[in-house]
Amino acid sequence: MEKAKVYYTKNITPESLIKVYEALGVKLEGNVGVKVSSGERGSKGYLKKELIAPLVKMLKGTIIECNTAYPGARNTEKDHLEVLEEHGFTSFANVDVMDSEGEFKIPFNGKYLKYDIVGSHFKNYDSILNLAHGKGHAMGGFGANLKNQSIGIASRNGKAYIHSCGQDENPNTAWERPYKQIEFIRSMAEAATAVANYLQENNKPIVYITVMNALSLDCDCDANQGDPVMQDLGIIGSLDPVANDQAFIDMIWNSNDPGSVKLQERIDRQEGREILPYAESLGLGTRDYELISLD
């Protein structure tokens, strides 16, 4: 497999975000879904409207999300829509909680998952922008494009199914199922691959962008999300989600910022980097990439 192209800018502005998108060379058309994390009520790191609104408007995109499997402010459509409004997303785009009217299964013959369960509205989109916020994560070690495509696109029941490594679809009981951490990490890779396969089979393009700012140890899904532990790194974009996540990880490990060690420790404590070779083994992408600066 030839090296994937990963485009990079150290500038985090609306203009540079559009520049990264345009460098990818794929025009997202039709009904465009923009998958972001809406952020739990109380979190700070979610992608802000001031940064992403110009690109979303340019694409005439709809902000797409699914309900959470854990108790909080986003596990029902009503509450989730309130948070989307509070966090400013409804001020510049239509928003869609994709599992508000049901779900469907994408077959997948994985070691852990036999299918992926996603919101029924996912079928309505002709093309997808996977727009991730790169940061640490209490359960996954780190979150970027692969997590945004697995847990992020999964319905509430689908999230339970991934978290239980294919044992249980019920959000009320899935957390009680025993599993090994590495099995959860690999289950996320399988779910992300299932989504990619579905899009490819239906000729629906997807591109991947990660904004590497507000780099906290915990995710935007944490209502008590802490402050950033290291400096902003910039924005990366690729047609390959494995390469894009690998580039994000490499930038953390290559950083001279003393705070990067804290993020490295969080990621490795949760075996987070294991998602990359496993996703590569599933054919989702390659870890071998060429970094192309747009600055």
Side-chain angles (χ1 to χ4, degrees):
M1 186 180 278
E2 62 181 66
K3 286 186 178 182
K5 291 182 169 64
V6 175
Y7 296 90
Y8 167 69
T9 175
K10 65 179 184 298
N11 303 308
I12 302 177
T13 66
E15 294 77 19
S16 63
L17 184 59
I18 290 172
K19 193 184 209 180
V20 170
Y21 164 72
E22 290 179 336
L24 298 174
V26 173
K27 193 172 183 186
L28 300 180
E29 296 179 307
N31 194 10
V32 181
V34 180
K35 175 62 188 78
V36 300
S37 169
S38 50
E40 190 63 28
R41 181 176 285 137
S43 68
K44 298 175 271 191
Y46 61 89
L47 296 177
K48 304 301 186 291
K49 65 177 182 180
E50 292 79 11
L51 176 65
I52 69 171
L55 174 57
V56 176
K57 286 179 179 175
M58 187 179 97
L59 297 173
K60 299 183 176 64
T62 297
I63 298 292
I64 57 175
E65 258 282 39
C66 275
N67 289 319
T68 62
Y70 58 83
R74 297 181 301 150
N75 65 351
T76 68
E77 182 195 17
K78 178 180 177 292
D79 291 344
H80 204 155
L81 289 172
E82 287 178 7
V83 172
L84 280 158
E85 184 174 358
E86 287 169 19
H87 288 175
F89 293 104
T90 58
S91 67
F92 64 87
N94 291 327
V95 299
D96 181 6
V97 179
M98 294 188 292
D99 58 343
S100 59
E101 295 181 299
E103 59 196 20
F104 71 97
K105 290 179 179 178
I106 301 170
F108 188 78
N109 187 26
K111 186 175 180 182
Y112 307 99
L113 307 186
K114 298 307 170 203
Y115 43 81
D116 186 30
I117 317 172
V118 303
S120 63
H121 292 181
F122 191 58
K123 287 182 177 176
N124 299 341
Y125 296 94
D126 304 306
S127 54
I128 302 291
L129 168 58
N130 179 333
L131 181 56
H133 172 223
K135 69 278 168 184
H137 193 279
M139 296 184 78
F142 78 99
N145 287 130
L146 294 175
K147 185 174 182 302
N148 201 34
Q149 187 150 309
S150 55
I151 295 290
I153 289 177
S155 66
R156 189 162 185 261
N157 295 333
K159 288 176 171 65
Y161 186 64
I162 297 166
H163 271 290
S164 67
C165 309
Q167 299 177 81
D168 195 341
E169 297 175 22
N170 187 335
N172 297 318
T173 55
W175 307 101
E176 299 162 16
R177 303 285 186 174
Y179 66 88
K180 293 176 181 172
Q181 175 64 14
I182 200 165
E183 294 174 338
F184 166 57
I185 298 296
R186 289 173 174 171
S187 294
M188 283 199 293
E190 291 190 354
T193 305
V195 169
N197 291 350
Y198 167 81
L199 293 171
Q200 186 174 20
E201 287 163 8
N202 289 280
N203 298 311
K204 297 182 176 189
I206 181 168
V207 301
Y208 301 90
I209 297 176
T210 294
V211 180
M212 305 176 290
N213 69 348
L215 293 160
S216 60
L217 295 181
D218 295 316
C219 175
D220 308 335
C221 60
D222 189 330
N224 301 302
Q225 186 179 29
D227 293 327
V229 295
M230 63 177 290
Q231 66 195 9
D232 293 349
L233 292 169
I235 303 173
I236 47 175
S238 182
L239 303 182
D240 184 319
V242 179
N244 221 44
D245 274 21
Q246 184 68 61
F248 173 46
I249 289 295
D250 288 346
M251 286 183 194
I252 294 170
W253 256 258
N254 294 332
S255 172
N256 295 321
D257 189 315
S260 68
V261 175
K262 292 181 181 177
L263 202 47
Q264 291 171 37
E265 288 171 349
R266 160 55 58 88
I267 292 166
D268 279 353
R269 191 184 78 198
Q270 298 304 112
E271 302 184 68
R273 287 193 284 175
E274 174 60 27
I275 199 170
L276 298 163
Y278 192 68
E280 185 178 47
S281 76
L282 296 171
L284 181 53
T286 176
R287 289 179 289 161
D288 197 11
Y289 65 91
E290 173 190 4
L291 194 66
I292 302 165
S293 175
L294 299 176
D295 296 335

